[in-house]
Amino acid sequence: MNEPDTLGAGLARRGVSRRSLLKFCTAMASLMALPPGVALAMAGALDQTKRQSVIWLSFQECTGCVESLTRSFEPTLEQMIFEMVSLDYQETLQAASGEAAESARDEAMKSSYGKYLLIVDGSIPTKDGGVYSTVAGVSNHDRLIDAAKGAAAIVAVGTCSSYGGIPHANPDPTGAVSVSDIIKDKPIMNVPGCPPIPSVIAGTLAYFVTYEKLPELDHLGRPKVFFADTIHGRCYRRPFYDQGKFAKTFDDEGARNGWCLYELGCKGPTTHNACATIKWNGGVSYPIESGHGCLGCSEPDFWDKGSFYQPLSTPLAPNAHVVAIGALGGVAAGAVAAALSREHQTHIGEEK
């Protein structure tokens, strides 16, 4: 079946109305804290653009990143994202297998050379010639080098592809490294998390399709709109921290009353992510709201830092000026958190 020339034509063929497209674009603009007028411009751009070719490679990983995206609790968002892109290769999701699958990947790389978006989840083993993870007899390292040549940009989804993740943890038997440790000549965006939040993956993809470039990144290559703030700074338990009210065990009175989990080893003060605002499962909850401290999974070497149930070594000074908006939840909280002017935010001290 021939694909339509534009995304708008394809959506119309599937019964997606202009109103639904505008609704989706409004949600995306709000999620990424873009000005209100951007939603209309985004809808216009998506309506006229061709479907973005996406090649998704999975290396040393647990499939959790793909599972996170497919388990999005916002069906309209998930449907739009898959209509927006042409997912030309993804081992877990594709129907083809064997030679048919590899032929599809080769054809996509050839026909969209210089234009496709390469997504990678999982670390890349480098010891012993990379024999610890291969696909169709080709090492992850060689496959990444080959696919990166024709990519317009690369998105490293998950902590493993962003920093090496758990495979990279001591003693690192496979010599696992990140995408950016190997590829030096392409724009790379890291979307860390173990796994990343589905809306964060979707939002960054929508931005690239609309603007044909990656969003503004921080010093670790993460999109600032989602990773500029610490979880602690946006946590709904933050007022209890400022009052000096801490749970001492996971089943004491403080824990039952929702007090701060800092003394139980929560790594929220040194972890940058949008968990406290966007949350998980359609904005229902996130680990801290479920009673467990943050493990810091979106930061480099989080596993080796360990001591998940030991408090951070550097005490934090209470700061009443930090706004705690984690209780808002969902897109609304994400938009408010990201839209606050940096000049008017007071960031807490961070353990270096």
Side-chain angles (χ1 to χ4, degrees):
M1 181 183 297
N2 293 328
E3 290 292 339
D5 291 335
T6 66
L7 175 62
L11 292 176
R13 191 184 72 179
R14 292 170 174 82
V16 179
S17 67
R18 173 73 174 177
R19 181 178 180 181
S20 295
L21 178 61
L22 281 171
K23 184 177 179 181
F24 166 74
C25 292
T26 299
M28 283 292 94
S30 175
L31 181 67
M32 302 192 73
L34 298 172
V38 169
L40 187 59
M42 182 183 290
L46 293 179
D47 189 53
Q48 296 301 317
T49 191
K50 292 184 178 180
R51 293 175 68 202
Q52 173 66 50
S53 174
V54 172
I55 295 175
W56 185 315
L57 302 180
S58 296
F59 296 146
Q60 279 191 142
E61 42 78 36
C62 66
T63 315
C65 297
V66 177
E67 294 282 359
S68 177
L69 181 60
T70 60
R71 277 164 169 71
S72 169
F73 275 68
E74 302 175 43
T76 301
L77 174 62
E78 182 180 9
Q79 178 183 1
M80 285 289 186
I81 286 299
F82 281 102
E83 297 288 357
M84 184 182 300
V85 302
S86 176
L87 191 59
D88 295 324
Y89 185 87
Q90 209 298 315
E91 294 167 357
T92 304
L93 301 178
Q94 65 192 17
S97 62
E99 292 183 0
E102 296 308 299
S103 295
R105 181 184 64 88
D106 292 340
E107 176 58 31
M109 290 171 55
K110 181 180 179 180
S111 61
S112 299
Y113 192 87
K115 298 179 181 179
Y116 61 81
L117 181 66
L118 178 61
I119 298 179
V120 178
D121 69 309
S123 61
I124 301 93
T126 58
K127 285 185 179 179
D128 302 323
V131 299
Y132 300 103
S133 181
T134 64
V135 178
V138 180
S139 71
N140 292 171
H141 176 276
D142 292 348
R143 178 160 291 227
L144 174 61
I145 293 291
D146 184 47
K149 292 177 182 177
I154 302 174
V155 179
V157 170
T159 299
C160 290
S161 59
S162 296
Y163 312 131
I166 293 178
H168 176 70
N170 185 58
D172 190 8
T174 67
V177 299
S178 69
V179 171
S180 57
D181 286 329
I182 296 175
I183 305 301
K184 303 294 184 181
D185 60 348
K186 295 287 182 178
I188 298 176
M189 176 172 64
N190 294 325
V191 185
C194 195
I197 302 171
S199 296
V200 174
I201 303 173
T204 52
L205 289 177
Y207 187 96
F208 182 83
V209 171
T210 302
Y211 296 104
E212 297 183 347
K213 65 178 183 180
L214 299 177
E216 185 179 2
L217 308 177
D218 68 8
H219 67 291
L220 291 177
R222 304 173 296 195
K224 284 186 176 181
V225 68
F226 295 117
F227 293 90
D229 300 311
T230 63
I231 291 176
H232 180 75
R234 299 297 172 199
C235 183
Y236 79 102
R237 295 180 188 245
R238 176 59 193 266
F240 291 115
Y241 174 88
D242 291 337
Q243 297 170 34
K245 295 181 177 180
F246 302 99
K248 305 298 182 182
T249 67
F250 286 106
D251 61 352
D252 67 5
E253 181 180 0
R256 290 192 291 273
N257 290 330
W259 288 3
C260 180
L261 302 174
Y262 175 79
E263 293 189 1
L264 292 175
C266 180
K267 300 302 184 289
T270 58
T271 303
H272 293 75
N273 210 333
C275 300
T277 51
I278 297 177
K279 302 187 181 182
W280 294 82
N281 298 331
V284 172
S285 183
Y286 70 111
I288 294 174
E289 191 170 350
S290 299
H292 194 286
C294 169
L295 299 183
C297 73
S298 57
E299 297 295 324
D301 300 319
F302 84 97
W303 192 264
D304 283 332
K305 292 175 182 176
S307 300
F308 296 134
Y309 302 109
Q310 296 296 322
L312 295 167
S313 59
T314 304
L316 301 176
N319 190 326
H321 297 292
V322 175
V323 181
I325 62 171
L328 288 176
V331 170
V336 173
L340 289 174
S341 170
R342 293 297 181 265
E343 286 79 14
H344 297 289
Q345 291 184 49
T346 304
H347 292 285
I348 60 172
E350 298 167 9
E351 188 176 74
K352 301 298 184 182

